[in-house]
Amino acid sequence: MIKIAQRVVNIPPSPTMEGDRKARAMRAEGKDVLSFAIGEPDFPTPDNIIHAAKRAMDEQKTKYTTASGIDELKQAICQTTEATIGLSYEPSQVCVSGGAKHALANVFGTMLDPGDEVIVIAPYWVSYPDLIRLYDGVPVEVVTTGAENFQPCMQKVADAITDRTVAIVVNSPNNPTGGVIDDEVLADLAALIVERDLVLLTDEIYKDIVFDGRRHSSPAALPGMKDRSIIIDGVSKSYSMTGWRIGWTLGPSDFIRNMGNLQSQMTANPNSIAQWAAVEALTGPQDAVEKMRKAFQQRRDYLVPALCEIEGIKCTMPAGAFYVFPDISAYLGQTVGKRQLNSSKDFCDYLLEEAWISSVPGSGFGAEGYFRISFACSMEQIEEGIRRIREALTKA
Ligand SMILES: Cc1ncc(COP(=O)(O)O)c(C=O)c1O
């Protein structure tokens, strides 16, 4: 047996991947499983981006680049950031990585010493706590609930700060809730971060998917925040480019230089062709981004009221991203279709086995009593999914 390091043994399997594995196995048996578990847009990558990648290959842009990314992409990221959140950065303040997840891993690797605490607002994207632990940090959860519309309570955040606290992770629009933190709450959070001399790590990967005419607000753009903020972003969600693996970090140049050094020893540069494709994504026509955003909004407008009509399901209206995170606590401890449901995992297993619907239990996001549905799928699938969920949950 080859020895496995304890830090790797400690990593739990991703709850989203686990649901996906079961659904695949059922599909292989010929069952028509509808997936509501996937966190990626169902649209094709726009043609102009595909063509830019082909051009990059034809032009032999196929060699190592600077570890932290090509200057053309860093310039494009700076321009996009200025246009969307009004903050001006220079290329020396940008590190391009192999996706936002890789960016986050390198940020934690650059920032954390053993025992350093990072506050994570729950429900949280599954990877934050595990990445923090991987770098010997300690994730500290601050819980928000659907009843609070997933807005963090400032008193709870303040109570979670200790003399080991280094940073607070904010993710708005949020995965898994679709929640967007209100501007007043962001302002209070920023004031607290300044007062307690902390770092803000703001994951803005869903910034282009905001509904009802709302504009994305970045807490990094609030007074006094830029120099203590690290912004994570990427092309995966906005441009339907999840497989291309391009994400980035913006922050003070000293931090970014050190992060680039770490990255240079681990992966060196992100894929050269995907970097050129990302330049086209950011600088080319933007109509596909708006088309996808509108489609997500239409689906949400059908899905959420339909879910709320099912007895026992309580649902807040997501203001962004492509997820809805219903409260299903009324079902826990109950018997449905002859099955005793004691956890969100039982609930999702029941939907998978009974209705052939795959979804993700809230427990993986630090929120037992909820489950996540992704509406990055067709309207037809959503309509059929609702029908099946209703039928499965009303079984005696
Ligand atoms: C909140 C959040 N951050 C980061 C990521 C990672 O994105 P990428 O595909 O760029 O690694 C995801 C992907 O699901 C996400 O939901």
Side-chain angles (χ1 to χ4, degrees):
M1 283 281 277
I2 297 177
K3 177 179 175 296
I4 314 275
Q6 198 53 44
R7 95 172 72 80
V8 176
V9 173
N10 291 344
I11 301 174
S14 150
T16 37
M17 303 281 174
E18 174 58 14
D20 199 42
R21 191 194 56 72
K22 267 196 210 161
R24 272 175 214 269
M26 287 175 67
R27 264 193 220 106
E29 291 166 12
K31 293 175 178 160
D32 166 31
V33 176
L34 300 181
S35 178
F36 292 92
I38 294 173
E40 63 182 355
D42 53 317
F43 299 98
T45 302
D47 280 346
N48 61 312
I49 299 172
I50 304 273
H51 291 144
K54 288 180 180 165
R55 221 167 29 244
M57 285 190 274
D58 287 342
E59 290 171 5
Q60 290 290 329
K61 289 174 169 159
T62 53
K63 304 287 170 20
Y64 291 133
T65 73
T66 311
S68 58
I70 55 175
D71 210 49
E72 289 82 348
L73 180 52
K74 291 181 182 177
Q75 297 273 11
I77 291 166
C78 292
Q79 279 160 18
T80 302
T81 307
E82 175 135 34
T84 49
I85 61 170
L87 281 183
S88 142
Y89 285 93
E90 290 168 13
S92 64
Q93 297 175 303
V94 184
C95 179
V96 184
S97 303
K101 186 184 271 194
H102 183 219
L104 280 157
N106 286 350
V107 165
F108 291 130
T110 306
M111 186 191 294
L112 298 180
D113 282 313
D116 283 349
E117 294 176 5
V118 179
I119 294 178
V120 178
I121 296 164
Y124 46 72
W125 180 50
V126 287
S127 293
Y128 301 138
D130 291 324
L131 288 175
I132 293 165
R133 281 190 210 102
L134 197 56
Y135 285 101
D136 298 324
V138 179
V140 175
E141 287 180 31
V142 170
V143 174
T144 68
T145 64
E148 301 164 315
N149 206 14
F150 302 112
Q151 302 292 319
C153 158
M154 236 23 71
Q155 191 56 52
K156 286 192 205 160
V157 180
D159 291 347
I161 298 171
T162 72
D163 53 6
R164 296 304 314 259
T165 309
V166 173
I168 300 185
V169 182
V170 171
N171 170 220
S172 172
N174 178 272
N175 177 6
T177 67
V180 170
I181 302 181
D182 292 340
D183 286 353
E184 309 77 67
V185 180
L186 285 180
D188 290 346
L189 197 58
L192 185 62
I193 287 170
V194 172
E195 185 196 318
R196 305 298 294 268
D197 195 17
L198 302 174
V199 171
L200 165 76
L201 178 49
T202 169
D203 178 345
E204 307 192 1
I205 191 101
Y206 294 100
K207 72 175 185 315
D208 291 317
I209 311 172
V210 184
F211 305 130
D212 306 321
R214 230 175 136 146
R215 253 183 77 88
H216 169 69
S217 307
S218 173
L222 291 168
M225 289 304 289
K226 186 180 170 209
D227 289 346
R228 56 175 70 247
S229 294
I230 292 170
I231 303 176
I232 300 287
D233 200 348
V235 290
S236 288
K237 315 288 176 171
S238 303
Y239 300 95
S240 201
M241 289 177 72
T242 46
W244 298 71
R245 312 310 302 132
I246 295 292
W248 55 82
T249 307
L250 292 150
S253 45
D254 180 51
F255 185 86
I256 293 294
R257 189 172 38 77
N258 280 285
M259 182 179 166
N261 287 345
L262 175 72
Q263 181 161 302
S264 75
Q265 293 300 354
M266 296 180 94
T267 53
N269 60 279
N271 178 293
S272 61
I273 298 150
Q275 288 191 65
W276 285 103
V279 171
E280 172 63 22
L282 296 182
T283 59
Q286 299 296 303
D287 42 320
V289 180
E290 178 57 9
K291 221 166 105 191
M292 288 190 265
R293 193 200 63 77
K294 275 198 178 131
F296 290 133
Q297 183 164 323
Q298 267 173 7
R299 296 167 185 182
R300 176 204 68 159
D301 289 347
Y302 171 80
L303 174 64
V304 176
L307 277 169
C308 288
E309 276 173 18
I310 300 173
E311 210 187 314
I313 289 192
K314 281 191 280 189
C315 216
T316 54
M317 193 65 154
F322 37 70
Y323 308 105
V324 58
F325 202 58
D327 177 338
I328 44 102
S329 52
Y331 284 94
L332 304 191
Q334 305 294 319
T335 303
V336 185
K338 301 197 172 55
R339 280 271 291 267
Q340 168 87 15
L341 307 181
N342 290 326
S343 63
S344 55
K345 183 172 180 307
D346 286 352
F347 182 89
C348 291
D349 284 348
Y350 174 73
L351 285 187
L352 183 58
E353 285 154 31
E354 189 62 35
W356 298 357
I357 294 285
S358 78
S359 56
V360 189
S363 47
F365 305 102
E368 185 51 282
Y370 296 83
F371 80 125
R372 189 190 78 176
I373 294 185
S374 157
F375 47 88
C377 55
S378 70
M379 251 331 234
E380 295 73 44
Q381 177 172 324
I382 292 171
E383 284 165 7
E384 172 61 11
I386 281 288
R387 195 193 62 70
R388 291 192 198 177
I389 294 173
R390 192 184 302 116
E391 195 178 293
L393 293 180
T394 47
K395 271 203 177 145

